[in-house]
Amino acid sequence: MTVWKKHKNWLYEVFERDVDPDELPGFEDIVRLWQGKRGDRPAPVLVDFDFYDFVGWHGKIIITDLFYDPFDFRFRLVGVDVADRLGADYTGRHYSELVADGINPIEDFEFYEMTSRKMLISRVSGNLDWADRRHTSATFVELPLSDNGEMATHSLTAMI
């Protein structure tokens, strides 16, 4: 694990793809699932996963489609627990569109583009000040998915 950055009340961390799942407390089972689907590839493909793989996680999952040059991502699916915690359902929206909602994507884009290009696992945690929920915290683990084996084309994120 490497701390990439601390910004305001958020901590950004990166992990190698072969990280011991126990290094990500609370996310061990989803990391094991991802690693099992990955096999000997840099990252699994989105279609490797089935709805039933996420038992216990259904409401806590985000799936994004990633775009490069310029970097952005679109929320393909936002679980109901995530939407409840964030106070909004971002399904179908691009991250760059969320400035009006109080999110400053510039702070995150450098991190997410780096982890997506290198297909690293990341963990981001902090308080949801921007969602007018400064007493509410969240931790997200992002797992890269790749259709081409060169860089992440999608991301599977879990929240606790």
Side-chain angles (χ1 to χ4, degrees), residues 43-47 76 119 145-154:
V45 179
L46 179 58
V47 297
R76 179 184 285 216
M119 290 192 281
L145 305 172
S146 180
D147 291 343
N148 61 27
E150 296 175 16
M151 66 179 84
T153 54
H154 302 87

Side-chain angles (χ1 to χ4, degrees), residues 21-121:
D22 292 336
E23 287 191 42
L24 294 154
F27 296 96
E28 299 93 340
D29 56 342
I30 201 146
V31 172
R32 282 187 190 95
L33 170 68
W34 179 86
Q35 288 174 332
K37 298 284 186 178
R38 182 184 133 209
D40 60 356
R41 299 173 291 175
V45 179
L46 179 58
V47 297
D48 289 338
F49 295 90
D50 183 90
F51 178 80
Y52 299 103
D53 289 331
F54 300 112
V55 171
W57 286 98
H58 290 116
K60 299 174 175 94
I61 295 291
I62 300 169
I63 296 176
T64 57
D65 302 318
L66 304 174
F67 306 97
Y68 296 90
D69 303 321
F71 183 79
D72 202 352
F73 53 91
R74 183 178 57 85
F75 294 94
R76 179 184 285 216
L77 175 124
V78 176
V80 295
D81 294 343
V82 177
D84 183 55
R85 176 75 53 97
L86 299 179
D89 182 356
Y90 297 125
T91 301
R93 294 186 65 192
H94 284 81
Y95 196 63
S96 59
E97 298 172 0
L98 302 184
V99 173
D101 294 349
I103 296 174
N104 183 358
I106 303 306
E107 297 296 336
D108 295 337
F109 274 172
E110 183 181 358
F111 177 73
Y112 290 126
E113 182 172 7
M114 179 270 301
T115 59
S116 297
R117 286 188 184 275
K118 295 180 179 182
M119 290 192 281
L120 298 171
I121 296 171

Side-chain angles (χ1 to χ4, degrees), residues 117-148:
R117 286 188 184 275
K118 295 180 179 182
M119 290 192 281
L120 298 171
I121 296 171
S122 65
R123 178 172 58 193
V124 179
S125 55
N127 291 346
L128 303 175
D129 290 350
W130 51 266
D132 227 7
R133 296 171 175 230
R134 49 185 81 25
H135 302 296
T136 302
S137 63
T139 300
F140 300 91
V141 166
E142 292 95 8
L143 303 159
L145 305 172
S146 180
D147 291 343
N148 61 27

